[in-house]
Structures are given as structure tokens and as C-alpha cells.
Amino acid sequence: MDKQVYVIRHGQSEYNAWKKRAIMRFQFCASATEVLRDAELTEKGRKQCCALGSRIKESDLKSKVELVIASPLTRAIQTALSAFEGTRIPIIINPLIRERMDTFCDVGSPPSILADKFPSIDVSHLKQHWWCVHNTTHSLPCRETLPSVDERIEQFLQWLHDRPEKVIVIVGHSKFFKRWLGGRKLRNCELRPVDMRKLKTTSKGTINHL
């Protein structure tokens, strides 16, 4: 794939902060309540995004990046908007890069709510319950299977392959990136280049991660 791609994990979210406190108090993270649904950034997370934005503007990325792709989860959209504030780089939303459904913070918001929160972002293409493949009741998180995540990765890479832009930033989530790229989990607001030479095209024309 003839593209230069960078990935960014979102800034610290309310769930990240809650989980850290829960671990320190020896509480089970599974006890997270719906209050943490589609968790937003904390004050620390917003500062992380501002710092990342300063680094981007001081680097050659500002002039090179042609497109920013963000997950529809609130913490990812907030990160993308903050990190690329003041630039004219388009930001588009793709639900294929949402986090693996695992807890309430991974349950998203309907397009109507996202449109009110982020009027500069087009979410008209999102389905009402874009965050969950099978369950449509959403009273509780339905944990997504790894094969389902792998399928999304393949679909996303094919979509990415078909995009005309050559330098792209992807703003998303730790579990999704770790499943796709392997290695350690990204830190909040960490920016990492992706070696696209590790990707190949299958006989069916789709793109697989190695």
C-alpha cells in the first residue's frame, strides 16, 4: 500500500481515569456503570491533546497530512478535533475503527447526539447503533469477538487502500490498534507511524494484517 499512515490513541478518557482509580482501590473494572458510556476526555486528556497538537504544528506533519480518520466514539473525535485544531485538514468518521466492544465506555452515541456535540463533523452516514454488530438493545455491553474485530480490520484496510490520500492519520483506540498492529498498547495521545509494508493483498483483493 503506497501510503504513509500514522495512528494516534485518544487522550485520557473518564473511563481511563476511573479504571486507574479502581485498580488502585482493588475494585473490579467490570463494575463500571452506564455513567461511563461513550466516555469523554478528562481535563488531563484535553491537555494531552493540546500538547499533541502543538507537536504536530511544529513538525512537518501539519503540511503533509491530507486526511484524519477518527472513530465515532466521543473521546476519539475530541482528540482529533483538538490535535488538528487550526488546520484545514479534513476529519472524517469511520465506525470500522471503533474500539472493541468490551465495557460501557465502548457503547457509543447515536448520530443525532454526535451531530449536536460536534457540528463541524459529518456523522450522517452512521447507523443508529453503529457501535454494536449484533445486539440492538444495548442495555449492557455485548463483548465483541476477536474474529469480528479482525473482520473490521480487513474491511477498514480495504477502505483505506481505496482512499486517494497518501498521508493519513488515524485516531482511535488501544485494543483496536493492538489487534491490528501487535506490540504494546499505545499510551494516551501517542502518535506512531505504521509500516504499511507489513500489509499484503490477498487473492480476493482484501488487505490482511500479518
Side-chain angles (χ1 to χ4, degrees):
M1 190 185 298
D2 184 24
K3 295 183 188 294
Q4 186 175 357
V5 174
Y6 300 85
V7 297
I8 296 173
R9 183 189 174 195
H10 61 80
Q12 186 194 62
S13 70
E14 294 288 354
Y15 176 78
N16 294 148
W18 177 88
K19 182 177 179 181
K20 184 176 181 179
R21 293 192 301 270
I23 291 174
M24 293 178 66
R25 296 171 183 172
F26 300 99
Q27 296 174 339
F28 290 107
C29 291
S31 64
T33 68
E34 195 167 357
V35 174
L36 296 171
R37 172 176 173 160
D38 197 12
E40 298 193 4
L41 296 180
T42 62
E43 180 62 28
K44 179 179 179 179
R46 289 190 287 272
K47 290 179 179 178
Q48 290 172 334
C49 293
C50 288
L52 173 62
S54 297
R55 295 197 300 272
I56 289 172
K57 291 171 186 175
E58 292 168 1
S59 71
D60 59 355
L61 271 183
K62 179 182 177 181
S63 60
K64 287 184 176 180
V65 175
E66 301 170 72
L67 179 68
V68 176
I69 306 165
S71 154
L73 286 162
T74 290
R75 54 195 183 273
I77 299 177
Q78 289 176 318
T79 299
L81 287 171
S82 178
F84 292 91
E85 184 179 9
T87 72
R88 295 187 177 182
I89 303 169
I91 299 173
I92 63 174
I93 302 301
N94 190 321
L96 291 173
I97 63 171
R98 66 189 183 272
E99 182 59 299
R100 179 190 183 191
M101 175 64 73
D102 193 33
T103 186
F104 271 116
C105 73
D106 305 321
V107 176
S109 299
S112 58
I113 293 178
L114 292 177
D116 287 341
K117 291 169 67 174
F118 307 109
S120 65
I121 299 294
D122 180 15
V123 294
S124 60
H125 59 291
L126 294 178
K127 295 180 179 180
Q128 183 69 8
H129 298 119
W130 53 263
W131 55 87
C132 197
V133 176
H134 302 297
N135 180 20
T136 58
T137 60
H138 310 292
S139 58
L140 290 172
C142 48
R143 191 175 197 192
E144 186 177 12
T145 65
L146 290 178
S148 174
V149 178
D150 291 341
E151 182 178 357
R152 284 201 284 120
I153 290 171
E154 288 197 20
Q155 292 172 356
F156 173 67
L157 291 175
Q158 181 62 62
W159 179 89
L160 186 65
H161 178 269
D162 294 339
R163 292 293 307 187
E165 298 86 3
K166 298 299 183 183
V167 184
I168 297 173
V169 171
I170 302 166
V171 183
H173 308 274
S174 60
K175 292 175 186 174
F176 180 86
F177 287 146
K178 183 174 175 61
R179 184 67 181 174
W180 171 23
L181 303 173
R184 64 171 177 80
K185 184 168 73 172
L186 271 67
R187 298 182 294 272
N188 291 122
C189 273
E190 180 177 355
L191 184 151
R192 179 192 294 181
V194 176
D195 186 354
M196 301 306 286
R197 293 171 299 178
K198 293 184 177 180
L199 304 175
K200 69 176 182 179
T201 304
T202 69
S203 60
K204 295 182 179 179
T206 58
I207 307 298
N208 278 331
H209 60 299
L210 299 180

